[in-house]
Amino acid sequence: MDLIRIKNVEKKYKNGVTAIYDLNLAIEKGAFVFVIGGSGSGKSTLIKMLYREEKPTKGQIIVGGLDVAKLRNRKVYRLRRKLGIVFQNFRLLEKQTVYENVAFALEVIGAPKDEIREKVLKALEDVGLKNKLHNYPDQLSGGEQQRVAIARAIVNDPKLLLCDEPTGNLDPERSMEIMKVLDDINKSRGTTIIMATHDKDIVDKMKKQVITLKDGHLVNFKQKGTYNNEAI
Amino acid sequence: MKPFRMLARSIRDAFKSVKRNFSLSLASVSCITITLIIVAIAIIASFNVQNFTKEIEKDLTVVAFLNNDATEEDVLNVENALKNIKNVDTYTFQSKIEVKEQMQQESEIFNAVLDTWEDNESPLKDTFQIKVKEVEEIGTTAEQIKNIDKVSVVRYGEGMVDKMISAFTSIKKVTIVVVVALIIVTVFLIINTIKLTIDNRKREIGIMRVVGASNITIKTPFVIEGMILGLLGSIIPVIFTTYGYLAFYQHFDGYLYSELIQLIEPEPFIYNASIIVVAIGILVGMVGSASAVRKYLKI
């Protein structure tokens, strides 16, 4: 079954730049998909449209049954509760501990305390940070901070995990650790993962589905794809 | 359960953030304090103006003199006619005998002169003393009374009274405009200061949006924070209002310049004024932070 269906989507920014041209895509539940392409290819725009930071100018985007393009600003939280988002720059709260950062995602949706504790510990265990509960973000390495961000993204058991260049700030070794964590989440929790990246090594090693974008056009969508420099 | 839990969390977060952003909170509170003091002065002045104009207006009386030959039946007719005039509030009747007695009591000379007249040859007239509902229409009402049969002369201090009433009407309007304008200026000032504290937490709001907090969940702690700031900011203005007005009232003995301009008694006036100041502070803090946070909820 498809978790995401994108039909005839076009995105034109207010400054006149068109980031995506007539995109059609369907992504299955439980898939692990890389979105690759050079700068300005539209991969970030695609991810942003999936969590409704940007609205498509034309077309339809369905995520888990929700019509994202038609979602009113006030109702965006309904979509966000169904998905987790991981950014290149982590976006953690500096003044809060690892535990508090992850718990934050559940607190703001009003979960009871016991449930929060249980889910946070489970999420931190999944990313291998159970021993750093009371550390603050600035006491952690970049890779560890990103794992906290991943724990925060999955703590609410989302169907979909969106990652926008999650390894962009990390060295190759830390990057592979993050990829292992994401792969485990994909396999054990069945979470669909869509990850925008321009890291050739990762894409080639992981052998997952690959969506290639170039100048806003879909070039190809391959099962077990590799990073094709020529296409980009 | 869930709404209570969310509210408790909002209140806790609001207090935390007032403490955590101490210097910016202090800036907002000082800004609210200063503007509320000005608003408080305006409110006190405005209430006093309203009060003394009303007191003076209450004393305004229309006196209608009847013809000398008016019989008891004529008096009754005039009374009925007065009842039919809409703007007439209350009236009292004084017969010429009562007028005579009153005048005789007031002065020895009157007493000696009036004593020489028999009641039936008295030059004095029966009078009605009339209070009106709307002082602004006192002139028209006096005209209507004058048209009643057997009424010879009507007096209400024309000229001076007309001028005074039109002056009072404009003073009242001006004070209300000043108070409202001050409150609006306060709201803008406070919105801008609170915006500074919220700009500081763009990131936090962004993260809340990303993890699926609804707008109301994000807004509530900020609105409560605004209320706390407004409340803190109204402490000094309330003290100022209470003790300042008491001292002012005692210094002038309750009158300003002449006995005509009477100040409002401090109790319960100062309590009411304090409540108004606190309410404005809280409301303005709420509106200020709600509108400041709105900008960040559009992503």
Side-chain angles (χ1 to χ4, degrees), chain A residues 73 80-81 91-92 110, chain B residues 5-6 203 207 209 212 297:
Chain A
N73 196 38
R80 304 269 168 94
R81 287 181 191 186
R91 299 204 192 170
L92 299 175
Chain B
R5 197 162 55 227
M6 300 292 277
R203 235 178 96 83
I207 293 171
R209 289 275 293 171
L297 297 179

Side-chain angles (χ1 to χ4, degrees), chain B residues 16-34:
Chain B
K16 249 197 219 166
S17 112
V18 170
K19 258 197 288 179
R20 200 186 290 158
N21 303 288
F22 181 74
S23 55
L24 279 172
S25 301
L26 194 68
S28 303
V29 170
S30 324
C31 167
I32 296 172
T33 301
I34 291 164

